[in-house]
Amino acid sequence: MSDNWQKAYFELKEYTAKNPQIEIGMNVIAIPGDIRPEFYRLFDTARVAFIKGKCQTLLDEAAPLSDNYAQAAQETTKTLRLSEIKLPASLNWFLNDPVDGLTRLLYDPLFNLLKGKIDIDTFECEATEFIENSFRQLFRSGYEKWFVLSLVNLLAPDRALVTPIEDIQDNCRELEYDEKRGIFEEQVPDPKEMELLSFGRSSEPAFIISDL
């Protein structure tokens, strides 16, 4: 399988060499518009071949999560009459299509290889480690979202209410250090009928602020 990805990579290198108007240097990437589609077709083929050749075990693990999340999301959207369930872009790509989600992670590493910043052995080692680490984060986050939606569906709700984090921040300001004494009380904004379920707060600990 490794040979497949290297074959795809050398086809990309050969195409680049045959088209000297393509400029890929340490600080520049310039690909003319008329040959850009074929370049990126070969570029994407190499990335997909690497993922399928080096990370098939991860893809096998991700496939059931992707399918189960899609089913849970479809049921939640229909039951609560939501316009959308919004995820961080990288997680959305991963859950929608694990191959695509992991392939996108190789954009910069593969260009670093083309630029000569690293050799092919270093690329294989570093890219594999990067994909594995990223996979663990994406899988854990995706499993968490699937769990939340599954729980919602088990509750069979008639509707969903939400207090957007933005409303809380606008109405309940963060106290300054010298104000944190005695009793301080703020009125939490009233919840609203939910139209969009957003899991976009990827930088915050899970379940600290309710999504619905």
Side-chain angles (χ1 to χ4, degrees), residues 19-34:
N19 292 273
Q21 61 270 46
I22 296 177
E23 185 178 359
I24 300 177
M26 290 297 178
N27 299 307
V28 62
I29 298 175
I31 306 169
D34 59 330

Side-chain angles (χ1 to χ4, degrees), residues 105-153:
L105 299 174
L106 293 179
Y107 184 88
D108 287 337
L110 186 52
F111 265 118
N112 286 338
L113 178 59
L114 288 171
K115 291 177 180 180
K117 290 184 176 181
I118 54 177
D119 60 29
I120 196 165
D121 290 334
T122 301
F123 170 82
E124 289 189 350
C125 181
E126 293 182 351
T128 300
E129 182 179 5
F130 178 56
I131 291 296
E132 289 175 348
N133 291 337
S134 299
F135 173 85
R136 284 193 288 269
Q137 297 174 9
L138 290 168
F139 189 90
R140 180 175 61 182
S141 183
Y143 193 93
E144 174 189 293
K145 306 306 184 288
W146 169 74
F147 169 82
V148 170
L149 297 183
S150 297
L151 180 59
V152 169
N153 295 334

Side-chain angles (χ1 to χ4, degrees), residues 184-203:
F184 188 88
E185 184 175 323
E186 288 279 12
Q187 184 65 38
V188 177
D190 292 333
K192 303 175 181 178
E193 191 84 26
M194 174 180 286
E195 297 180 357
L196 167 68
L197 173 54
S198 176
F199 287 123
R201 302 193 302 274
S202 58
S203 61

Side-chain angles (χ1 to χ4, degrees), residues 46-188:
R47 288 191 293 168
V48 170
F50 183 90
I51 293 297
K52 290 184 175 181
K54 296 287 188 178
C55 308
Q56 187 59 50
T57 301
L58 303 182
L59 295 177
D60 292 342
E61 190 174 350
L65 174 62
S66 176
D67 292 340
N68 290 328
Y69 173 83
Q71 294 175 16
Q74 183 179 24
E75 182 178 349
T76 303
T77 301
K78 181 179 179 180
T79 300
L80 299 180
R81 300 178 296 280
L82 301 175
S83 62
E84 181 185 1
I85 297 177
K86 189 174 183 180
L87 298 167
S90 58
L91 182 59
N92 184 60
W93 294 325
F94 175 74
L95 289 176
N96 184 59
D97 181 351
V99 174
D100 177 61
L102 296 180
T103 295
R104 289 172 181 267
L105 299 174
L106 293 179
Y107 184 88
D108 287 337
L110 186 52
F111 265 118
N112 286 338
L113 178 59
L114 288 171
K115 291 177 180 180
K117 290 184 176 181
I118 54 177
D119 60 29
I120 196 165
D121 290 334
T122 301
F123 170 82
E124 289 189 350
C125 181
E126 293 182 351
T128 300
E129 182 179 5
F130 178 56
I131 291 296
E132 289 175 348
N133 291 337
S134 299
F135 173 85
R136 284 193 288 269
Q137 297 174 9
L138 290 168
F139 189 90
R140 180 175 61 182
S141 183
Y143 193 93
E144 174 189 293
K145 306 306 184 288
W146 169 74
F147 169 82
V148 170
L149 297 183
S150 297
L151 180 59
V152 169
N153 295 334
L154 287 172
L155 292 172
D158 298 311
R159 61 180 181 149
L161 302 175
V162 63
T163 300
I165 182 63
E166 294 80 9
D167 290 357
I168 296 176
Q169 292 172 336
D170 290 342
N171 290 274
C172 305
R173 67 182 181 83
E174 177 71 17
L175 295 179
E176 299 295 334
Y177 178 78
D178 59 357
E179 294 179 302
K180 295 181 179 180
R181 58 180 182 271
I183 297 176
F184 188 88
E185 184 175 323
E186 288 279 12
Q187 184 65 38
V188 177

